Amino acid sequence: MAGRAHTTELRVRYAETDQMGVVYHSNYLIWCEIGRTDYIRALGTPYAELERNGVALAVSEASLRCHAPARYDDIVRVETSLTEVRSRTVTFDYVIVHAGTGARLATASTTLVSLDPDGKVAALPLDVRDFLAGGTR
Amino acid sequence: MAGRAHTTELRVRYAETDQMGVVYHSNYLIWCEIGRTDYIRALGTPYAELERNGVALAVSEASLRCHAPARYDDIVRVETSLTEVRSRTVTFDYVIVHAGTGARLATASTTLVSLDPDGKVAALPLDVRDFLAGGTR
Amino acid sequence: MAGRAHTTELRVRYAETDQMGVVYHSNYLIWCEIGRTDYIRALGTPYAELERNGVALAVSEASLRCHAPARYDDIVRVETSLTEVRSRTVTFDYVIVHAGTGARLATASTTLVSLDPDGKVAALPLDVRDFLAGGTR
Amino acid sequence: MAGRAHTTELRVRYAETDQMGVVYHSNYLIWCEIGRTDYIRALGTPYAELERNGVALAVSEASLRCHAPARYDDIVRVETSLTEVRSRTVTFDYVIVHAGTGARLATASTTLVSLDPDGKVAALPLDVRDFLAGGTR
């Protein structure tokens, strides 16, 4: 992985459109979740396993810019990069493009905070931090 | 309550529409959830409290008929009835109407199965069964 | 295709879970939509093209039975069959299984009604009917 | 209205939670949509009517900070302010609080761009601009 983006492809669902005939914007954040799930899996351990081991990552900040609309049945590509690993947070950036034309549809960034099993903010265990940081090198 | 329907009103969200210009059908099941939540609350104990006390009700069967489309910004009325309480299941029926015109938009039925905190099917505790059955008398 | 089921695989999204720790039931209907979209595409014409040509298929009836919970990050398989084509409606059946274990998670059926561009119920054009019926032979 | 926030209350749906036991973050953006819909309605013309008259407002930028989790069955309050009206865009800010405790759950901002009926960016008609600006005075 080492500092490179991980790419996920998905096809736009009818349920994700709205009456403007395009994808409703909050769905981009769900696509970002898919992107970072795949990113973490590609590092070697699925996020589901991190969570079973007591480390939850909850979105604390998100920003989104919509450049062009995604439409039903389009195949879109989510390019996910891990841009920062700190003691309690990790930040991912995303570029979402139309797979057919390469047009940039949206860019986004999310910061996730590490929570312990009681839902309290907690330092990331060192091994998890190293594991994630592997993606930024 | 005693055998009568409980009525909930809600306004259609933009996010609930799709590119056909009407509400995407799976949202009706979410409105049913709101209807039965309000129904149970009206019996005297919120469902959230049942769940904190170890009784979860999970949808095991659902059926839905869509008669006319609901549209963005419509106010719709969900009329919820509890039609059956058995040892492990409860069944709710729903009629969804347009609040302005009274037009019938959808009818639905869901059966929920009682789960213990480990997610296993379990008999409803007698007090919960009596509590719910209060709504059918 | 000829009467056989079409299979689609998808991975459960975090956004699709609820606080019971499993997939919220209305998402199964969205997975069914994905299944029939892929089914129709496999017949040779994407549903998106049917819609651009003025034939919309709207869900008028849906039924769902949940047998076992789907969980975050599971890969599930949606097996879609077209079971009936009538002058104004088509019916699809679905079996949703856990791809890893083969366990049956849910079964569903949806009937869709043909709408013209004004949203009125209309007979399916004969060529569309033949096209869809190709899947049942 | 005149520069003051408009307040909307809503109850958290089970469907909006995830397996972390709290509201899935993308739902905050949907609550913001509800907030600004109510804000615009309070100015005197529902957004639905603007759209029927050919003025669509599509989210082009969104930012979100999650301060504390919202939970199932909580009543939350969305306080919406219109902070800027420009020739082609409008910006709304949101504060989402727990209605019972007043705790701040999330803050957000969205910028919406004016689209004509073909989905092209277009200047806001002057009367719509004046209408919206009424909320900032």
Side-chain angles (χ1 to χ4, degrees), chain A residues 7-87:
Chain A
T7 296
T8 300
E9 282 196 354
L10 53 88
R11 191 184 282 278
V12 177
R13 302 171 169 191
Y14 207 92
E16 292 170 331
T17 64
D18 66 23
Q19 69 177 34
M20 234 176 260
V22 299
V23 168
Y24 185 80
H25 62 284
S26 72
N27 290 297
Y28 291 109
L29 292 186
I30 297 175
W31 298 352
C32 291
E33 170 226 302
I34 297 169
R36 72 177 169 271
T37 291
D38 278 1
Y39 184 99
I40 293 173
R41 187 192 327 281
L43 288 179
T45 306
Y47 169 71
E49 196 173 320
L50 294 188
E51 212 175 82
R52 278 192 295 271
N53 291 337
V55 179
L57 295 173
V59 170
S60 59
E61 286 180 52
S63 63
L64 173 68
R65 294 177 77 101
C66 304
H67 305 288
R71 295 177 191 281
Y72 168 60
D73 215 39
D74 284 352
I75 296 180
V76 298
R77 203 146 57 207
V78 182
E79 295 163 4
T80 305
S81 324
L82 179 51
T83 50
E84 194 177 37
V85 181
R86 303 183 64 177
S87 62

Side-chain angles (χ1 to χ4, degrees), chain C residues 9-27:
Chain C
E9 283 196 353
L10 53 88
R11 192 184 282 275
V12 177
R13 302 170 170 193
Y14 207 92
E16 293 171 330
T17 64
D18 66 23
Q19 70 177 36
M20 234 175 258
V22 299
V23 168
Y24 185 80
H25 62 284
S26 74
N27 290 298

Side-chain angles (χ1 to χ4, degrees), chain C residues 18-81:
Chain C
D18 66 23
Q19 70 177 36
M20 234 175 258
V22 299
V23 168
Y24 185 80
H25 62 284
S26 74
N27 290 298
Y28 291 110
L29 292 186
I30 296 176
W31 298 352
C32 290
E33 170 226 303
I34 297 169
R36 71 178 170 271
T37 291
D38 278 1
Y39 184 99
I40 293 173
R41 186 191 329 281
L43 288 179
T45 306
Y47 169 73
E49 195 174 321
L50 294 188
E51 213 175 82
R52 279 191 295 270
N53 292 337
V55 179
L57 296 173
V59 170
S60 59
E61 286 180 52
S63 63
L64 172 68
R65 293 177 78 100
C66 304
H67 305 288
R71 294 176 193 281
Y72 168 59
D73 215 39
D74 284 351
I75 296 181
V76 298
R77 202 146 59 207
V78 183
E79 295 162 4
T80 305
S81 323

